[in-house]
Amino acid sequence: MSFDFKKEFKEYYLPKNKPEIVTIPPMNYIAVRGKGDPNQKGGEYQQALGVLYAIAYTLKMSYKSDYKIEGFFEYVVPPLEGFWWQEHVKGVGYSDKSSFCWISVIRLPDFVTKKDFEWAVLTATNKKKLDCSRAEFLTIDEGLCVQMMHLGAFDEEPKSVALMDAFLQENGYENDFSDERLHHEIYMSDARKVPPEKWKTVIRHPIK
């Protein structure tokens, strides 16, 4: 059976729908940076997803190629994630999506090295006829955070964020946003197949 990060690390991917404190260790990701409304059809964000998945599945299926990754084991591609911010805005302002800056990411298994990543970028570019050169191998160390499972549409996230903020105040913590520590979302539902009212999104904020 393939290794499934969601099942093996439930504390990171399947929190309850109420706030909790968690310490996140450093993780490696395939990452693509960009700006603009994620809902724009054929826009920069949609293109970024194409690049992420092309590389992710090239690595996942690498064992069927001539390229061998040391320590490889079969696994389920982890869920799509995103780090979001806006210039001169603390947290996230949901009303103006065109001003979003984002780093869209998919987690990499620990056995994938920078060299393996570079092979996958080149292979995906050639096989898919898709320029994957925008992608980067990115290590993120989130550290101390508050998180919860948000149920429903993205535009309703402020309700969950308000719960998280109240929880922090009650327990002696505060948000700790910076250029390196960002609003983080993990998408546990396939938005193409599930109605918005049933979407599950992990919301995670850096704290101190």
Side-chain angles (χ1 to χ4, degrees):
M1 184 177 274
S2 295
F3 185 92
D4 189 336
F5 288 86
K6 300 185 298 296
K7 293 177 181 175
E8 299 296 332
F9 299 105
K10 290 181 180 177
E11 66 271 31
Y12 305 144
Y13 297 101
L14 295 169
K16 296 182 173 64
N17 58 340
K18 62 182 182 180
E20 62 185 32
I21 304 295
V22 64
T23 300
I24 308 296
M27 298 180 191
N28 297 327
Y29 298 90
I30 311 164
V32 178
R33 300 171 187 265
K35 292 183 177 182
D37 187 341
N39 298 321
Q40 182 185 348
K41 285 190 176 175
E44 195 173 344
Y45 183 77
Q46 304 294 334
Q47 293 172 32
L49 298 194
V51 170
L52 287 176
Y53 281 109
I55 297 169
Y57 279 94
T58 297
L59 286 164
K60 172 185 166 63
M61 303 308 293
S62 63
Y63 70 98
K64 293 190 173 182
S65 73
D66 293 335
Y67 186 88
K68 302 303 175 191
I69 297 177
E70 188 176 344
F72 181 93
F73 52 78
E74 290 190 52
Y75 62 97
V76 177
V77 170
L80 178 69
E81 308 182 39
F83 293 87
W84 300 85
W85 73 100
Q86 289 149 305
E87 303 293 343
H88 314 300
V89 176
K90 278 196 171 183
V92 174
Y94 291 82
S95 57
D96 182 13
K97 294 184 174 63
S98 65
S99 67
F100 276 138
C101 303
W102 40 263
I103 309 172
S104 194
V105 303
I106 294 177
R107 184 179 176 180
L108 289 167
D110 290 342
F111 57 70
V112 174
T113 66
K114 184 89 181 291
K115 176 172 167 282
D116 301 325
F117 172 82
E118 289 168 353
W119 166 84
V121 169
L122 192 60
T123 302
T125 296
N126 292 334
K127 277 194 171 181
K128 307 282 186 184
K129 306 300 180 202
L130 176 69
D131 182 7
C132 295
S133 61
R134 291 176 59 199
E136 59 184 287
F137 182 97
L138 184 63
T139 302
I140 298 174
D141 184 1
E142 287 188 272
L144 191 66
C145 296
V146 62
Q147 67 177 15
M148 69 176 286
M149 185 70 80
H150 170 73
L151 306 176
F154 301 136
D155 286 344
E156 294 173 5
E157 283 185 13
K159 294 177 185 175
S160 293
V161 170
L163 290 175
M164 291 162 63
D165 289 346
F167 175 82
L168 293 181
Q169 195 167 13
E170 289 165 10
N171 289 278
Y173 294 92
E174 59 182 280
N175 287 304
D176 189 29
F177 293 107
S178 69
D179 290 346
E180 287 78 36
R181 307 193 78 205
L182 302 165
H183 172 92
H184 184 183
E185 299 180 356
I186 306 175
Y187 308 107
M188 303 304 295
S189 304
D190 187 338
R192 298 167 301 176
K193 301 175 182 176
V194 179
E197 63 271 16
K198 293 188 176 179
W199 288 351
K200 292 183 177 181
T201 307
V202 179
I203 302 176
R204 187 180 293 159
H205 283 174
I207 63 171
K208 61 184 178 181

